[in-house]
Every structure is written in C-alpha cells, then in structure tokens.
Amino acid sequence: MFRFFNHCSQGRGAWLLMAFTAFILECAALYFQHVMKLQPCVMCIYERVALLGIMAAGLVGVIAPRNVVIRWIAIFIWIYAAWRGLELAWEHTMLQLYPSPFASCDFFVNFPEWLPLNEWVPAVFVASGDCAARQWEFLGLDMPQWLIGIYAAYIIVAIIVVISQFFPSHKKI
C-alpha cells in the first residue's frame, strides 16, 4: 500500500486530483453563497482559504512531482492547510452547537495587509453571515460538520503519503 501511495505521489495525476477536489469544494461554497443565497461568515471564509491552500498544494505538487524538494513542499502545504481547516471547522462547529454571547467569531475577515483578499475578490472573501447560524443541513450535519470530515480525510491521506515517502516506489529485484 505504501509503495502505491509513494508511486502516486510521484505522478501528476494524484496531485491534480487533490487540486480538483478542493476546486469542486470551492465551487460548491460559491454555489451555496451565490445561488442558494446563504451568507458566509468569517469562519466560512477562513475555511475557504484553507481549501485554497489544499488546492495550491496540489498545484505545487503538479509542477515537478518527481523532485523530492517540490514534493515535500507540496506535502507540507497540504498538511498545514488541512490541519488549519480542521481546526477552523471544529471551532465553527462548536460555535454552532454551543452558542454563547461570550464566544463568537469576528465581524470582519482579517487578512494581512499584503494580501487583502476581501478587497481584491469581495464576491468570494467578504463575510456577511453569523457564525452561530445554522443555514444548511444534509443528513443531519451542517456545513462545518461536513468540513470536519473533509479536512480529516485530507489529513489521513496526507499522513499515509508522508509515511509512504520512506518506502521505495517500486520493488528492487
């Protein structure tokens, strides 16, 4: 199994698949916002940025998957983005499950001055919703709860890929 994942991590297909899944999830978020008219909150926007990080990791991995340095950079970005996304989704879920007037999210997104995404692309990165509001549900789970599972899946696969890097991708005869 580890040889298989090592082999996959050295090809462009797996990295493109990862970038594509993150892209589809970003498209779903925009569909919820612009077609279903759900208002994204600050946590939602940050969770989107984490997905963009996973997409970026996939695109970095596509550049030169056989290059060990590039591959490890992509893996690091992947793990960092997925971990931060999991933390954000967990915090968001706790805000929704246990609402409190003392625990809430910010009113406005707080991007660095050198990367004001909310000013550059306001249709994607401006938050107008309440973090504690539960606007959508599928199979009994709301959006941040689904994101916990999604980010956890990204992390589990990332851990398998990291371990597989220490196994040769093919058997030596």
Side-chain angles (χ1 to χ4, degrees):
M1 175 178 87
F2 291 120
R3 291 174 200 258
F4 172 75
F5 277 94
N6 187 338
H7 178 73
C8 288
S9 73
Q10 294 182 33
R12 288 190 167 91
W15 293 104
L16 280 172
L17 180 62
M18 184 174 72
F20 181 71
T21 60
F23 175 74
I24 292 300
L25 290 168
E26 290 286 353
C27 289
L30 293 173
Y31 174 83
F32 286 126
Q33 178 181 351
H34 295 291
V35 177
M36 293 180 64
K37 303 296 183 195
L38 302 180
Q39 300 300 315
C41 66
V42 171
M43 298 293 286
C44 297
I45 299 300
Y46 293 155
E47 290 159 2
R48 283 185 192 177
V49 173
L51 274 174
L52 285 175
I54 292 170
M55 189 185 330
L59 296 175
V60 168
V62 165
I63 293 170
R66 293 201 182 276
N67 183 309
V68 175
V69 174
I70 298 291
R71 191 167 61 246
W72 276 104
I73 289 170
I75 290 170
F76 175 77
I77 295 168
W78 174 9
I79 291 172
Y80 178 76
W83 182 257
R84 288 294 295 140
L86 182 63
E87 286 179 331
L88 290 163
W90 180 263
E91 183 180 342
H92 193 179
T93 297
M94 292 301 109
L95 284 173
Q96 288 187 344
L97 293 178
Y98 308 106
S100 167
F102 305 109
S104 67
C105 62
D106 296 333
F107 292 111
F108 302 103
V109 291
N110 188 16
F111 290 118
E113 287 183 22
W114 54 270
L115 190 69
L117 295 174
N118 56 325
E119 294 173 15
W120 293 347
V121 191
V124 177
F125 296 108
V126 169
S128 56
D130 176 16
C131 291
R134 299 175 80 175
Q135 302 180 57
W136 177 86
E137 186 177 297
F138 180 67
L139 297 176
L141 300 174
D142 57 11
M143 206 166 303
Q145 291 171 326
W146 279 103
L147 285 172
I148 287 173
I150 290 167
Y151 287 120
Y154 277 123
I155 289 172
I156 289 167
V157 174
I159 290 169
I160 293 169
V161 169
V162 166
I163 294 169
S164 75
Q165 298 306 299
F166 301 102
F167 289 80
S169 63
H170 59 279
K171 292 181 181 178
K172 295 183 180 181
I173 301 174

